[in-house]
């Protein structure tokens, strides 16, 4: 009985509780606040700490692509976050959606930011955290990946008479139907460079 009581005291003692939380890679995500709201903070008992639940608490944010958590005995929790990379802005109904390289909507803004391809094709606004399955959505993400950063940052994709156009500095480029946009973008890049 004494052994069980001693073991119980040791397992629930401050000696085996979280004293330090290290968070790496989280720049746009307040991972510490998300952990705190989920009840994972200093004082949590290391033995009972479920790293899967820790990961789930952080992973719910649209900017989080991957997250891993590990216990380092006796008193340290390490959380590593890989954030998604922004790829392009897509105009929605009244707002602009910042979209990641994997197609996830990262955030909604009244105006697009600078430095990324802008797309204005009359699409509906999707909430942050959603990754639409619309094939055109994937084509647009592929196009943004195929274009060089300078060309993408200075260009807009529009629709005119049912066709997709890349409006590059001084040159409108007709892409036609929204298929194979990455290949069309690579060809356009070569043609615009000459």
């Amino acid at each position: 009985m004494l052994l069980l009581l001693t073991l119980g005291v040791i397992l629930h003692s401050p000696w085996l509780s979280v004293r330090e939380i290290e968070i790496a890679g989280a720049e746009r995500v307040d991972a510490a606040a998300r952990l705190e709201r989920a009840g994972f903070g200093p004082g949590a008992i290391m033995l009972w700490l479920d790293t899967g639940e820790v990961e789930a608490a952080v992973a719910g944010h649209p900017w989080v692509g991957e997250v891993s958590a590990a216990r380092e005995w006796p008193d340290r929790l390490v959380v590593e976050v890989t954030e998604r990379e922004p790829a392009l802005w897509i105009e929605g109904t009244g707002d602009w959606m910042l979209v990641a390289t994997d197609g996830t909507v990262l955030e909604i803004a009244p105006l697009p930011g600078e430095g990324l391809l802008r797309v204005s094709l009359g699409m509906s606004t999707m909430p942050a955290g959603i990754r639409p399955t619309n094939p055109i959505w994937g084509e647009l993400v592929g196009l943004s990946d195929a274009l060089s950063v300078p060309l993408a940052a200075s260009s807009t994709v529009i629709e005119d008479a049912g066709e997709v156009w890349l409006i590059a500095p001084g040159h409108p480029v007709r892409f036609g139907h929204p298929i194979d946009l990455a290949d069309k973008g690579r060809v356009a890049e070569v043609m615009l460079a000459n």
Side-chain angles (χ1 to χ4, degrees), residues 124-148:
S124 297
T125 301
M126 304 286 177
I130 297 295
R131 185 183 311 163
T133 56
N134 180 339
I136 295 173
W137 195 272
E139 289 287 336
L140 294 169
V141 171
L143 173 62
S144 73
D145 184 50
L147 297 176
S148 67

Side-chain angles (χ1 to χ4, degrees), residues 11 29 32 39 60 78 98 104 106 147 152 157 163 165 194:
L11 292 178
V29 178
V78 177
L98 179 59
T104 302
L106 297 173
L147 297 176
V157 175
E163 294 185 322
W165 289 75
N194 293 325

Side-chain angles (χ1 to χ4, degrees), residues 37-168:
R37 281 193 302 274
F40 301 111
I45 305 300
M46 289 286 285
L47 186 63
W48 310 122
L49 194 65
D50 183 337
T51 55
E53 290 179 7
V54 170
E55 292 166 355
V58 177
H61 194 282
W63 279 93
V64 176
E66 295 180 17
V67 62
S68 65
R71 294 177 285 195
E72 290 188 1
W73 297 95
D75 60 1
R76 191 165 179 238
L77 174 63
V78 177
V79 179
E80 294 184 20
V81 177
T82 303
E83 293 183 340
R84 291 183 168 99
E85 292 294 322
L88 71 157
W89 287 95
I90 297 179
E91 186 176 21
T93 47
D95 290 311
W96 286 82
M97 299 169 281
L98 179 59
V99 179
T101 55
D102 70 352
T104 302
V105 177
L106 297 173
E107 58 188 58
I108 308 297
L111 296 170
E114 298 294 322
L116 298 173
L117 180 67
R118 292 168 309 285
V119 176
S120 184
L121 296 179
M123 301 182 102
S124 297
T125 301
M126 304 286 177
I130 297 295
R131 185 183 311 163
T133 56
N134 180 339
I136 295 173
W137 195 272
E139 289 287 336
L140 294 169
V141 171
L143 173 62
S144 73
D145 184 50
L147 297 176
S148 67
V149 172
L151 181 57
S154 61
S155 299
T156 303
V157 175
I158 64 166
E159 182 179 2
D160 186 24
E163 294 185 322
V164 174
W165 289 75
L166 176 72
I167 307 302

